[in-house]
Amino acid sequence: MELKICHLYPDVLNLYGDRGNWDYLKACLNPEAIETSITERPRFLDGGVSLVYLASMTERSQERILETLLPYREQIRSLASSGETLFFLTGNALELFCRAIRTEDGRELPALGLIDCCAERIYPKRANSLFLGRYGNEEIVGYTSR
């Protein structure tokens, strides 16, 4: 059976260069790779997907993705608990799988509930920078987010 992996929401999730993780997974594993846009029903729900990749996200994206995934909670639970589908989660994507996410303004957002814990959102102080320069004869672009 060929390895099949699904990248959820690459159109909105690319904090910290997470798109590079996806490119690296594809280069190393040479799978059948599928992507699901935020406007589509998650394609991994149709079965046959070995690994779902879900990257870091902004807090606003996290809330939108929760709204998108919550109707499929039981199907996601079934796929995860059966071992049929593994989930590779980076950054705050793990919080989607908690019982809830507590926000700084006191709201409690229901999450998928696959992990028996509650995440507490603390907005970090973020600094982003872009570097354009040269290294020898090569033009380079660098980006940091911390």
Side-chain angles (χ1 to χ4, degrees):
M1 179 174 144
E2 183 180 3
L3 179 65
K4 188 179 202 179
I5 59 177
C6 177
H7 186 185
L8 275 184
Y9 316 132
D11 44 347
V12 294
L13 304 183
N14 190 28
L15 287 180
Y16 315 116
D18 278 323
R19 180 66 189 209
N21 292 333
W22 173 247
D23 293 340
Y24 187 72
L25 273 173
K26 291 190 304 184
C28 291
L29 300 175
N30 194 29
E32 178 184 343
I34 58 174
E35 297 184 355
T36 298
S37 168
I38 190 70
T39 60
E40 298 176 301
R41 179 180 179 276
R43 295 176 63 193
F44 75 91
L45 295 173
D46 297 329
V49 171
S50 306
L51 181 71
V52 175
Y53 174 59
L54 189 58
S56 302
M57 61 199 76
T58 65
E59 290 78 11
R60 183 179 298 161
S61 292
Q62 191 179 54
E63 292 184 28
R64 183 168 181 208
I65 289 166
L66 273 175
E67 289 174 10
T68 303
L69 292 179
L70 278 171
Y72 307 109
R73 178 190 329 221
E74 292 310 314
Q75 192 173 359
I76 293 169
R77 180 186 309 278
S78 175
L79 288 168
S81 65
S82 72
E84 178 183 340
T85 303
L86 301 175
F87 292 83
F88 177 30
L89 311 168
T90 63
N92 64 347
L94 176 67
E95 296 173 6
L96 299 174
F97 288 74
C98 297
R99 279 190 327 272
I101 300 170
R102 286 190 198 110
T103 66
E104 284 189 324
D105 62 4
R107 292 179 300 141
E108 192 162 293
L109 307 172
L112 294 172
L114 277 70
I115 302 171
D116 189 21
C117 66
C118 185
E120 186 168 336
R121 183 181 289 169
I122 300 170
Y123 287 99
K125 292 183 176 160
R126 293 187 177 117
N128 299 308
S129 59
L130 178 66
F131 173 81
L132 303 171
R134 295 188 91 57
Y135 182 77
N137 293 328
E138 295 294 319
E139 290 185 7
I140 59 172
V141 176
Y143 176 79
T144 61
S145 183
R146 54 184 171 356

